[in-house]
Amino acid sequence: MTPPWSSLELTAKSWSTVAPGYDSLFVKLFDPWTQDAFMKLKEHNALCTNQEPQEGTGALVTCCGPGHELLPIADIMGSTCLGLDLSPGMIAIASNRIAQANRQDQVRAVVRDCMDPPPGPYRAVVSVFGLQQMPDPLLALERWVRVLAPGGVAVIIFWPSGGRSTFSMVEQEGPWARFRQLVTSKNNSSANDNTIHNSAGDNSAWYDKLVEVAERAGAKVLEDRLVQHEITWEDRTQLWEGMTRSGPWHALRLKRGDAFVDALGDEFCSIYPANEPIIHAPSARLLVLRQIGHKATK
């Protein structure tokens, strides 16, 4: 029997368990999207700095994971940087990374629910692959935008998996789409387990309301588009073991047990030749927002 995890408990437990593996495997695999976030932060922060002085200090990084983004963001902003993550395991790795760089005076990482960010104002809010994990993504985005100082920039990248807009799917075909289809067929419903990276379940309406929520919180949408990059897995074993033991599919092991996941893995892997690489090109959604009409929450 698996324990009756709450959503927050499941998220914290799963990401703490996979933290070392995630740091060694997924930081590299997802780096192209991380670099997209850095590029957009540099671009739009420079535009704001050239136009007028900014209020606020520092950057806030929500769902910072093992902290690989924190030092570069502090350098881009030339200021302090605070990373938040619900997972103690992820924060332990992030804190060690900061200590090894001897940057504790400028960069911090703390365990905290990202639905409840510390009050601003911040010159920047950055989140890469965190929004879709929030139990209420719309409320999370609203709160992240509201802690921005006037003129501050938010760069949000996340995995979509539903909705009616053109930004609605990570991939139509490929291994992540196959996983979703298989779990859906096993459940014979649209339950929370069906999602690839999405803790909000299949309530996909939120994907189509993000711009509305951001604007209501005082933001101007500077960019809203998909960014696509290739991911190469050594073979089917690395993909399945990586995703279910070191990545976002691990939560399914906690919810359904190893026997269910391992049986699912046999079926998942059956269509892929052994010892051959698997290459796919998922799309993430990029939102770049500037706070123009709201004073940061105190």
Side-chain angles (χ1 to χ4, degrees), residues 1 10 36 53 58 60 63 93 97 140 188 207 228 238 257 262 272 276 295:
M1 284 287 292
L10 181 73
D36 287 334
L60 176 67
C63 308
I93 295 174
R97 184 173 261 122
N188 194 30
Y207 292 97
Q228 184 178 40
Q238 187 198 39
D262 292 342
Y272 300 108
E276 290 189 12
K295 290 292 185 181

Side-chain angles (χ1 to χ4, degrees), residues 164-202:
R164 296 184 301 275
S165 72
T166 57
F167 309 112
S168 63
M169 295 300 293
V170 174
E171 58 183 19
Q172 298 291 340
E173 299 178 349
W176 291 353
R178 175 167 172 75
F179 173 80
R180 183 182 180 90
Q181 293 160 2
L182 282 176
V183 178
T184 300
S185 68
K186 298 299 180 186
N187 290 342
N188 194 30
S189 67
S190 296
N192 287 358
D193 291 349
N194 296 356
T195 57
I196 297 172
H197 309 281
N198 179 9
S199 293
D202 257 5

Side-chain angles (χ1 to χ4, degrees), residues 56-75:
T57 58
L60 176 67
V61 181
T62 56
C63 308
C64 71
H68 54 292
E69 303 156 356
L70 302 180
L71 297 174
I73 289 173
D75 291 339

Side-chain angles (χ1 to χ4, degrees), residues 12 15 34 40 80 118 147 162 172 209 211 221-222 224 238 242 245 262 290-291:
W15 285 114
T34 303
K40 291 303 172 183
T80 59
V147 297
Q172 298 291 340
K209 296 179 180 178
V211 168
V221 178
L222 304 179
D224 183 7
Q238 187 198 39
R245 296 194 185 276
D262 292 342
R290 189 181 304 285
Q291 179 57 266

Side-chain angles (χ1 to χ4, degrees), residues 207-250:
Y207 292 97
D208 300 320
K209 296 179 180 178
L210 289 168
V211 168
E212 174 188 342
V213 166
E215 291 177 340
R216 189 170 64 234
K220 177 181 179 181
V221 178
L222 304 179
E223 296 191 45
D224 183 7
R225 61 185 178 87
L226 294 178
V227 284
Q228 184 178 40
H229 296 289
E230 278 193 355
I231 293 178
T232 300
W233 305 89
E234 293 175 359
D235 55 24
R236 65 190 187 184
T237 300
Q238 187 198 39
L239 191 160
W240 185 257
E241 292 298 305
M243 290 295 292
T244 65
R245 296 194 185 276
S246 298
W249 298 352
H250 175 264

